[in-house]
Amino acid sequence: MIRLTLAFLGLLTIFAAQAEPLVIRFGVASPSYGIPPGFAGGAAGVAHAKRFIEEEFKGQDVKVEWIFFKGVGPAVNEAMGNGQLDFAFHGDLPSIVTRANGVRTRAVMAATSRATIYIGVAPNSPIHRVQDLKGKRIAFTKGTASHLPVVRILAAHGLKERDLKVLNLDAPTAQAAFLAGDLDALIGAAVVLKFRDQGQARLIYSTRSAPTFTSQSHITVTDAFATARPDATRRVVRGLVRAARWTAEPANRDEVISLWSRAGVPVKHWNEELAGEPLAVRTSPLYDPFITTRLQQALDDAHRFRLVRRDFDVNGWIDRQYVDAALKDLGLEGFWTAYDAEGRPLPGPAGVPPRGATPPRASRQAAGAAGSPLSREMRTALRPPAR
């Protein structure tokens, strides 16, 4: 009788476990903005706002939980290392640090790329070029996606991080410190343009002609989740690819920029930042040679600047199967243009980049061009899910 009771209780436990909804925990290396909350994270931000991922699980007992981190990349790393996240949207350096520290993850989709980095100084500052920053006070958040671009820019102009007085500040604090006169220069993305137009900053440098100095962001998933939930992993990535497709449609450009502007960069500055460039270039999901080269460069730089100690195989870390499946499911195998290591469009079918295309280490320092418009007409937009 006792055995029967125990067996019955065991079955109840199994049924109860099966009845529990699947919660997919998606970490975002950004604080949220506005009501309802949102973030300017490329197609991932659009997927969140338009519920593309949730639509993939329509009719199923699945909940997608979006978790925003004010501590950005390093905070996401800690959460992934503690088993508190399944997916993450974060920059190349934080995602590399996570993997180099032994956390088993897979890079399943490229998220954003080529965002311009600007350097501004006070209008009456004697600083006119990057070399003039020697001994001056700057700030960025160490260990985040902005870390490597800064040290690359400095290195290209004969400076090292130790040649300056570097403060470890988050972006809002750095902006306030700059306006208060406590920093000699402000380094950031398009938000610097806002201070320029307000007469509070003068631009001395941007990476418009040197996109290899910028960072890229990625979607990663823990190996444990991908192994235990392969179908859920496939659906999440397919939702993100659908969002990337919708984002790339020119008819949706104004709405996309309006969504991104909620994070604090006005629409006019987004338009200046993206002038003449299809959004498909910035938000392509492809791990093409340009993106894989940038990832390898990020790992090499992280070693060079002693930000990580362990090495790993970048091509082995990238898992293209989910994007490949999404492109096939959605009929998008020829939609995005793939770019070579130097940023030139590759011939042949777009969206089918060569396997193992990471170039040898000797060529990884080559600077890439900013890219060119898509090679074919955009197709009819995939409609976003009903709200």
Side-chain angles (χ1 to χ4, degrees):
M1 183 66 180
I2 294 176
R3 290 180 178 178
L4 288 174
T5 301
L6 291 174
F8 179 69
L9 290 173
L11 287 173
L12 287 179
T13 301
I14 293 172
F15 291 146
Q18 291 177 340
E20 291 180 1
L22 170 63
V23 178
I24 300 174
R25 304 163 300 174
F26 204 115
V28 179
S30 168
S32 61
Y33 300 91
I35 300 175
F39 66 103
V46 172
H48 170 261
K50 295 288 185 180
R51 299 181 62 82
F52 275 97
I53 297 176
E54 287 82 352
E55 182 70 11
E56 288 289 325
F57 297 96
K58 188 175 181 179
Q60 300 182 35
D61 199 7
V62 177
K63 178 183 178 182
V64 181
E65 187 176 83
W66 295 83
I67 307 168
F68 300 93
F69 289 85
K70 186 178 180 181
V72 292
V76 170
N77 289 357
E78 183 177 355
M80 292 201 87
N82 291 335
Q84 297 171 329
L85 296 175
D86 304 307
F87 286 86
F89 164 81
H90 51 168
D92 47 14
L93 178 58
S95 60
I96 282 171
V97 169
T98 301
R99 183 65 186 85
N101 285 340
V103 180
R104 301 294 299 180
T105 61
R106 305 180 190 183
V108 293
M109 177 175 155
T112 64
S113 68
R114 310 184 193 215
T116 307
I117 301 296
Y118 300 90
I119 301 179
V121 299
N124 60 350
S125 171
I127 299 171
H128 293 278
R129 54 181 189 161
V130 175
Q131 292 91 328
D132 297 337
L133 292 173
K134 186 173 183 178
K136 304 300 184 182
R137 296 162 298 178
I138 65 169
F140 55 86
T141 311
K142 295 190 176 184
T144 67
S146 62
H147 194 154
L148 287 181
V150 173
V151 293
R152 287 171 186 159
I153 292 167
L154 294 177
H157 294 84
L159 296 175
K160 296 181 180 179
E161 192 175 333
R162 65 172 178 266
D163 293 328
L164 290 79
K165 299 173 183 177
V166 179
L167 302 179
N168 186 16
L169 303 177
D170 62 25
T173 305
Q175 292 163 22
F178 173 74
L179 295 178
D182 295 327
L183 294 178
D184 296 299
L186 178 64
I187 301 177
V191 68
V192 179
L193 300 176
K194 179 174 69 173
F195 297 115
R196 177 203 63 188
D197 285 0
Q198 292 172 349
Q200 297 169 308
R202 168 172 52 83
L203 296 184
I204 65 165
Y205 178 82
S206 84
T207 59
R208 281 195 176 276
S209 61
T212 55
F213 290 169
T214 66
S215 67
Q216 328 301 319
S217 63
H218 306 269
I219 305 298
T220 59
V221 63
T222 65
D223 192 66
F225 185 92
T227 300
R229 302 279 188 176
D231 183 65
T233 305
R234 180 179 62 83
R235 289 175 182 270
V236 168
V237 175
R238 186 168 66 183
L240 289 165
V241 171
R242 290 175 60 227
R245 169 64 181 87
W246 190 87
T247 301
E249 171 55 46
N252 300 327
R253 186 182 179 99
D254 288 345
E255 184 177 354
V256 170
I257 291 175
S258 179
L259 284 171
W260 291 349
S261 71
R262 292 174 58 196
V265 176
V267 168
K268 69 174 183 178
H269 295 134
W270 273 116
N271 285 329
E272 179 179 345
E273 163 74 7
L274 298 166
E277 183 176 294
L279 293 184
V281 175
R282 292 285 182 103
T283 61
S284 168
L286 304 182
Y287 276 116
D288 61 11
F290 179 81
I291 297 296
T292 56
T293 301
R294 302 287 76 74
L295 261 181
Q296 184 64 61
Q297 179 190 16
L299 178 57
D300 293 346
D301 287 347
H303 277 290
R304 183 158 60 103
F305 301 122
R306 300 181 180 180
L307 301 175
V308 298
R309 294 186 178 181
R310 296 180 183 177
D311 205 351
F312 61 91
D313 177 15
V314 167
N315 268 325
W317 180 45
I318 295 170
D319 192 343
R320 292 183 175 89
Q321 64 172 303
Y322 304 104
V323 167
D324 287 351
L327 295 176
K328 184 175 181 180
D329 288 349
L330 300 171
L332 296 175
E333 291 174 293
F335 181 75
W336 279 279
T337 297
Y339 293 86
D340 69 13
E342 296 185 1
R344 296 180 296 247
L346 285 168
V352 190
R355 301 288 185 174
T358 303
R361 289 182 182 267
S363 65
R364 286 174 191 153
Q365 302 301 322
S372 58
L374 296 178
S375 60
R376 59 177 64 195
E377 292 294 323
M378 292 290 185
R379 301 175 184 175
T380 302
L382 294 174
R383 293 181 179 178
R387 299 302 302 272

